[in-house]
Amino acid sequence: MHGNKGVSILDNGPLWKSQRKFGLKNIRGIGLERKGVDSCVNDEVPFLLESLQATGGKAFDILSILAKASCNVLCSVMLGKRYEYDDDTLCRLVKIFSDVYHSSFDNFSLQMFVFAPKSIYIYPFSQSYKKMEKLLEDFEEIINKVITEHEEAFDKEHPRDLMDAFLKIMKEGKDKNFDMEQLRMYIRDIFEGGIETTTNTLNWSLICLLHYPEIQTKLREEIREIVGQSGSVKMSHKDDMPYTNAFIEENLRFVTSTPLGFQHKTNQDAEINGYVIPKDTTVTTNIWAVHNDPKYFDEPEKFKPERFIDEKGNFIKSEHVIAFSVGGRRCMGEHLGRMEIFIFLVSMIQRFEILPDPESKIPDLNVGFNGQTFFPYPYKLIFQEI
Ligand code: HEM
């Protein structure tokens, strides 16, 4: 499917290691002319708030606005540019990567991969695969245009963004794994890993706020005290906001947006806790089970941000909140994803009262579409300017 290219689908080995190292360095922007990763997030905030303001206090579906904001952050980080929210390229990118999850990595295909791994060989004949191929052709058309623009403006002394950094290694010819096909797959994997997950996490956190207006009030009080009524939110505020941190952590735990992580396979026989796992077995992490284990979380079925606050009022992180998974294959974009969630969420709560649509029921927090990700069914809410 990915032809052993990209990063998320690669077997553990030297290729994956070098590609992951490249990603971790260049997502953060180390050695690039591009602005820092936090500025890529901060610069998106006014556009996000403006499009929320434009809803004029009427009920609307927020999904595409959140997805465009998340997608634009990745475009800034990787391609050195962002798009207007009505730009055709941004709309196409958002649609491609939402459809990849919503129609191709659906529940049925996922269960087949986990419980009947050999089904991967018949997957190319399925309707889901055909849909995916069509979507990815559209993606290649977009990304080829951006690659051409980058090649035309390329200056090896001044790499601007992740794509330039990749082209630099490729042109130097020191590592033959850095080729054009790998560049396309790399960008694709990051979009695939970064848009849907961040959008879903933000979307579920807004639904939590609809269910618990008292929590929303408490969050706004803390935001007003630390950031002010109109000041811009910075990552440096985070350490002084224990309740906001606790809310975000509880949201990551309570609504596990990637319940089974990504699937991997063992490349040698292994033994864990006395269980023998033969070579070539599909392995999946049950993140949901850890998040709902009463051994680690008292009354796991209840939404309680306070569980992460100690008696002195400090935020206490739990090693059992593993929404980004654990180990060598844990999420490559955790740092960026956490930044987006904090800055976007705080900015939205600071400026707007988030209210349910009186015409419809607030979505249940444990009912949604289950596929590679767990996401809410379409719903509407109201953003009332304060
Ligand atoms: C709330 C947001 C996010 C969540 C919950 C999340 C969750 C995850 C999970 C569970 C995995 C699977 C780890 C495993 O295989 O065991 C993963 C992998 C990955 N994520 Fe994220 N992710 C988020 C945001 C992002 C962002 C913003 C990016 C892009 C910068 C990203 C890029 C990736 C990549 C490339 C991988 C594959 C890493 C590898 O195989 O080495 N993710 N993510």
Side-chain angles (χ1 to χ4, degrees):
M1 191 161 57
H2 287 232
N4 216 24
K5 297 270 183 188
V7 61
S8 50
I9 207 109
L10 294 179
D11 282 352
N12 271 21
L15 174 59
W16 165 74
K17 259 195 199 135
S18 82
Q19 297 300 320
R20 186 171 167 104
K21 196 171 158 205
F22 169 84
L24 289 172
K25 178 176 171 218
N26 288 289
I27 287 174
R28 283 176 185 249
I30 297 166
L32 298 179
E33 302 243 313
R34 192 201 71 201
K35 48 198 175 200
V37 73
D38 48 343
S39 303
C40 293
V41 182
N42 271 313
D43 288 359
E44 193 55 34
V45 170
F47 300 99
L48 168 66
L49 297 181
E50 195 187 300
S51 60
L52 293 171
Q53 193 184 24
T55 62
K58 297 204 181 74
F60 70 106
D61 183 340
I62 196 168
L63 182 69
S64 77
I65 296 180
L66 295 175
K68 285 174 183 175
S70 302
C71 184
N72 255 340
V73 170
L74 294 181
C75 290
S76 301
V77 166
M78 294 191 293
L79 317 177
K81 63 166 162 188
R82 64 170 300 282
Y83 298 91
E84 295 303 322
Y85 284 14
D86 57 0
D87 187 284
D88 181 53
T89 302
L90 183 65
C91 297
R92 275 164 72 199
L93 280 173
V94 163
K95 180 160 175 14
I96 292 166
F97 289 100
S98 136
D99 284 2
V100 161
Y101 278 98
H102 298 199
S103 57
S104 300
F105 289 161
D106 55 15
N107 197 12
F108 178 73
S109 312
L110 182 67
Q111 289 198 25
M112 290 296 283
F113 295 155
V114 174
F115 298 111
K118 294 226 162 29
S119 67
I120 196 87
Y121 299 111
I122 51 165
Y123 185 59
F125 302 101
S126 68
Q127 280 307 319
S128 299
Y129 184 83
K130 289 196 177 96
K131 264 191 235 159
M132 167 110 88
E133 267 198 327
K134 181 90 212 48
L135 293 167
L136 297 175
E137 272 168 30
D138 198 18
F139 169 71
E140 285 209 6
E141 197 187 307
I142 295 173
I143 211 64
N144 284 344
K145 200 166 156 240
V146 184
I147 293 175
T148 308
E149 287 164 8
H150 269 67
E151 292 232 87
E152 281 165 9
F154 182 71
D155 173 357
K156 70 174 181 350
E157 302 303 331
H158 301 283
R160 298 156 296 174
D161 45 48
L162 184 141
M163 188 177 269
D164 268 356
F166 194 103
L167 288 172
K168 187 168 185 265
I169 301 177
M170 193 176 106
K171 285 172 192 291
E172 284 168 355
K174 286 186 198 145
D175 185 340
K176 62 176 176 11
N177 292 313
F178 283 72
D179 61 22
M180 221 22 125
E181 190 54 8
Q182 171 64 2
L183 172 59
R184 279 192 282 270
M185 293 302 150
Y186 205 89
I187 303 281
R188 184 179 116 177
D189 273 7
I190 295 187
F191 276 129
E192 223 170 78
I195 305 176
E196 174 78 4
T197 46
T198 312
T199 303
N200 269 342
T201 306
L202 283 165
N203 207 355
W204 281 119
S205 64
L206 295 174
I207 298 174
C208 283
L209 296 179
L210 299 180
H211 278 280
Y212 303 104
E214 67 289 358
I215 293 183
Q216 187 176 159
T217 307
K218 225 169 147 181
L219 286 166
R220 194 168 294 108
E221 279 166 10
E222 186 176 78
I223 294 168
R224 294 260 159 103
E225 192 192 322
I226 304 299
V227 188
Q229 195 140 344
S230 59
S232 41
V233 186
K234 303 209 173 51
M235 284 313 286
S236 54
H237 289 127
K238 195 167 178 286
D239 286 350
D240 299 321
M241 299 173 74
Y243 193 71
T244 307
N245 284 313
F247 171 77
I248 291 173
E249 207 69 357
E250 179 65 343
N251 180 58
L252 286 168
R253 181 197 72 83
F254 192 80
V255 193
T256 307
S257 68
T258 319
L260 296 177
F262 292 174
Q263 286 64 60
H264 295 287
K265 85 172 160 48
T266 45
N267 50 13
Q268 59 185 60
D269 292 347
E271 195 184 325
I272 298 179
N273 292 345
Y275 293 95
V276 176
I277 307 173
K279 182 174 184 276
D280 290 337
T281 305
T282 306
V283 182
T284 198
T285 338
N286 195 340
I287 298 177
W288 187 92
V290 178
H291 284 176
N292 287 277
D293 192 331
K295 251 195 326 230
Y296 308 126
F297 301 104
D298 169 45
E299 300 185 303
E301 69 290 351
K302 294 200 174 144
F303 189 84
K304 291 197 292 190
E306 291 73 18
R307 65 173 86 244
F308 298 109
I309 306 249
D310 71 8
E311 58 291 347
K312 291 189 186 134
N314 298 317
F315 167 62
I316 304 295
K317 208 168 185 292
S318 161
E319 61 178 16
H320 296 110
V321 176
I322 55 162
F324 297 89
S325 196
V326 286
R329 294 305 287 246
R330 70 182 295 148
C331 177
M332 211 172 84
E334 175 170 357
H335 176 72
L336 176 59
R338 283 190 178 273
M339 223 178 239
E340 287 182 66
I341 292 163
F342 176 76
I343 291 180
F344 288 165
L345 194 63
V346 170
S347 304
M348 290 192 282
I349 301 173
Q350 180 193 35
R351 277 280 294 279
F352 299 94
E353 174 131 33
I354 299 151
L355 300 163
D357 170 16
E359 308 277 299
S360 56
K361 188 176 163 281
I362 304 174
D364 281 343
L365 285 164
N366 50 10
V367 179
F369 186 96
N370 263 306
Q372 184 77 50
T373 55
F374 173 57
F375 57 91
Y377 292 120
Y379 75 102
K380 287 187 176 173
L381 42 46
I382 292 173
F383 268 58
Q384 194 82 59
E385 239 183 306
I386 307 173

